[in-house]
Amino acid sequence: MKHSLEILPLSSWIDTGDQPLIIAGPCSAETEEQVVSTAHLLANTGKVHVLRAGIWKPRTRPGEFEGIGNIGLQWLKRAKEETGLLTATEVATAKHVEEALAAGVDILWVGARSTANPFTVQEIADALQGVDVPVLVKNPVNPDLSLWIGALERINRAGIKKIGAIHRGFSSFEKTAFRNEPMWDLAIQLKTIAPDLPIINDPSHICGNRELIPYITQKAMDMDMQGLIIESHIDPSVAWTDAKQQVTPAALAELLDNLAIRHAESNNPAFEDKLAELRKQIDKLDDQIIKQIGDRMKIAEKIGEYKRDNNVTILQVSRWDEIVQKRVQLAKALNLGEDFTVKYLELLHNESIRKQNEVMNEKTATEA
């Protein structure tokens, strides 16, 4: 299902010279010297288009540093005057919007915690009525695509057509190498639903540590995202917030130098012909797979009838464990990922249970 967002292309509101949009700067504006010095170093790389800095910081617990406040907006203004970089900051209330716009901030973004609350998003949207400013919307903290789309729609309905999304990963109960799980499939779903929507990747918040940032930035570019928002501090070791995930401007320049930028399409006819041929093979295999799944479900229905007639329960855990163990071993031999294989088997198993449940209930309904 496509969503009818009215979107102006990214190139119409910022000139990146056919390169990915790069937004960089400290997690938090701490001092005027820190903001301005970082801005100069970022501008000198020749690779950064927008200076970012958190002015108001939503914190989990009271007593933690919650941002320098609107004085930091003047530091952004000075940094822009001296370097020519556009500026961006997060807004979470109508007052934030008003103060940021009054200070000449060029781009606003809605944070993950705000995206999760439709009341907050609507307050921000109402404050944006009649304003012509680019707004980026981060994904909500939890993996909820509807909340993300809903926030984008609210901002768009306020008349904001220079709009984009920020993919910053999602919270997860599982302990992994990432601060927030990328869950690329949700970003792909958003791109599928709104093909014209620019999506900017936030490797800093996905990774939570600077060592993983190069991996995620390359992955984001390979997923055809339109830009990156990366936290950069003149001296991350003394940063007041998120020190571990910030990089120096020099490290950022090196990271961007090593980034392979690929394109969504090619003008090479030979490439297009070969791609079309390979896609035909994929289509044929997909058709065969769907047909075989259909045949598998017919057998599952027969199993359901047999269980029903012999008063046997649908779910048999030992059989499920046997299926997973055998198929995972086969998948490994075929160089398929274990996570993919288990998820695929779970989907098949759930559909088989549903089919057998229908069969079990058919007789009950008839008898009733």
Side-chain angles (χ1 to χ4, degrees):
M1 177 182 177
K2 297 288 190 292
H3 278 253
S4 56
L5 294 169
E6 293 187 57
I7 303 169
L8 290 174
L10 183 64
S11 58
S12 72
W13 48 273
I14 186 166
D15 181 12
T16 63
D18 199 33
Q19 292 296 307
L21 171 64
I22 304 299
I23 303 171
C27 174
S28 301
E30 300 165 358
T31 67
E32 185 170 8
E33 180 61 25
Q34 170 241 11
V35 171
V36 175
S37 297
T38 302
H40 276 283
L41 291 173
L42 291 172
N44 290 342
T45 68
K47 301 175 184 301
V48 175
H49 307 102
V50 182
L51 171 69
R52 59 138 292 153
I55 302 299
W56 304 278
K57 300 295 296 181
R59 309 298 288 169
T60 302
R61 300 180 65 183
E64 296 178 334
F65 176 62
E66 296 185 330
I68 204 71
N70 59 13
I71 185 63
L73 295 172
Q74 300 308 312
W75 306 342
L76 286 178
K77 189 173 183 178
R78 177 188 161 192
K80 177 181 177 179
E81 290 170 352
E82 294 186 12
T83 66
L85 291 175
L86 299 178
T87 56
T89 198
E90 177 179 345
V91 291
T93 68
K95 190 171 185 291
H96 291 170
V97 173
E98 293 164 5
E99 292 184 349
L101 294 175
V105 175
D106 299 288
I107 299 172
L108 309 180
W109 80 79
V110 180
R113 301 185 195 209
S114 297
T115 302
N117 187 336
F119 290 114
T120 298
V121 177
Q122 190 59 55
E123 178 185 342
I124 295 169
D126 291 342
L128 289 166
Q129 287 283 349
V131 176
D132 182 21
V133 63
V135 179
L136 305 175
V137 179
K138 285 197 174 187
N139 63 253
V141 174
N142 295 317
D144 190 328
L145 185 60
S146 294
L147 272 177
W148 200 2
I149 294 169
L152 287 160
E153 289 176 329
R154 288 177 188 275
I155 299 298
N156 194 220
R157 288 179 183 181
I160 302 297
K161 296 182 181 179
K162 298 173 182 176
I163 190 170
I166 297 178
H167 170 233
R168 50 83 77 192
F170 303 85
S171 67
S172 171
F173 288 112
E174 296 178 10
K175 295 295 182 184
T176 71
F178 300 109
R179 176 179 177 182
N180 293 291
E181 279 297 304
M183 299 189 190
W184 299 100
D185 56 317
L186 288 176
I188 292 170
Q189 287 181 54
L190 180 62
K191 184 176 280 289
T192 303
I193 290 168
D196 298 327
L197 180 72
I199 301 182
I200 312 301
N201 182 260
D202 180 351
S204 302
H205 281 89
I206 288 175
C207 297
N209 69 76
R210 62 184 66 90
E211 287 76 19
L212 289 170
I213 289 177
Y215 166 75
I216 290 295
T217 54
Q218 186 60 64
K219 177 95 172 181
M221 293 297 95
D222 293 344
M223 300 292 282
D224 192 30
M225 294 193 176
Q226 283 66 58
L228 301 164
I229 178 167
I230 300 178
E231 293 184 348
S232 180
H233 192 291
I234 193 169
D235 184 359
S237 67
V238 298
W240 296 0
T241 54
D242 289 344
K244 292 181 180 179
Q245 67 189 41
Q246 300 193 64
V247 298
T248 64
L252 176 64
E254 182 180 358
L255 183 155
L256 296 175
D257 278 338
N258 293 325
L259 208 55
I261 306 299
R262 301 178 173 93
H263 302 284
E265 298 177 352
S266 170
N267 295 322
N268 183 346
F271 168 81
E272 292 295 335
D273 289 344
K274 183 63 176 178
L275 188 63
E277 177 190 333
L278 292 170
R279 282 173 171 168
K280 282 182 181 178
Q281 294 178 33
I282 289 285
D283 290 343
K284 184 177 180 180
L285 288 168
D286 283 344
D287 289 343
Q288 292 173 357
I289 290 169
I290 294 296
K291 183 180 181 301
Q292 289 180 337
I293 290 174
D295 292 341
R296 187 188 192 282
M297 293 308 158
K298 288 177 183 177
I299 296 173
E301 288 177 353
K302 290 180 180 178
I303 290 174
E305 292 172 1
Y306 195 58
K307 288 179 178 177
R308 177 196 64 196
D309 295 341
N310 287 272
N311 250 4
V312 174
T313 60
I314 294 174
L315 182 61
Q316 293 170 317
V317 176
S318 59
R319 170 60 178 161
W320 166 241
D321 289 341
E322 177 189 350
I323 289 173
V324 171
Q325 186 176 358
K326 287 182 178 178
R327 300 304 178 269
V328 166
Q329 288 176 351
L330 175 60
K332 284 182 179 178
L334 296 172
N335 201 28
L336 295 174
E338 183 174 342
D339 286 347
F340 163 78
T341 304
V342 172
K343 287 178 183 177
Y344 170 71
L345 291 172
E346 285 175 347
L347 287 171
L348 282 180
H349 187 243
N350 290 341
E351 181 64 6
S352 293
I353 294 294
R354 189 186 70 80
K355 288 283 187 183
Q356 291 183 39
N357 202 23
E358 284 182 352
V359 171
M360 289 284 199
N361 291 327
E362 275 178 11
K363 186 172 183 181
T364 304
T366 304
E367 290 174 345

